[in-house]
Amino acid sequence: QSLTEVKAGTECTIKWMFGAQVMELMNQYDIKEGSTISVFGQGWNSTIIGRDDVRLAIGSEIAARIKVKAGWSFIRRDKLIQIL
């Protein structure tokens, strides 16, 4: 599935990335095919991901070119508190 389809709070493994721009951006942060990343947020036109001490906000166009295998959720949904 595409990175844009992964819910926030999910850890996933990058299966493949398409495009020189995507590969160059991710390689700058030592993120490559086979890397495990965490999805911290999904916005209207961006996705926030992280690995180790790196956090990246990437546009939806780039996130759509990254295919992942979703793993487990690192947020316990029963402990979330809705703030009004």
Side-chain angles (χ1 to χ4, degrees), residues 21-82:
Q21 179 186 19
V22 176
M23 298 287 285
E24 183 179 324
L25 171 70
M26 300 306 242
N27 283 333
Q28 288 177 16
Y29 298 97
D30 197 31
I31 299 173
K32 50 191 157 254
E33 294 168 351
S35 294
T36 299
I37 60 169
S38 300
V39 178
F40 291 102
Q42 289 284 8
W44 177 67
N45 62 355
S46 65
T47 301
I48 301 171
I49 63 169
R51 178 173 182 265
D52 299 327
D53 61 346
V54 173
R55 302 292 179 267
L56 297 173
I58 57 176
S60 295
E61 295 154 359
I62 290 178
R65 297 182 198 163
I66 301 172
K67 302 302 178 188
V68 297
K69 179 180 178 187
W72 56 276
S73 175
F74 60 86
I75 294 178
R76 289 188 54 190
R77 304 245 181 249
D78 61 328
K79 297 294 182 185
L80 291 178
I81 299 171
Q82 183 177 8

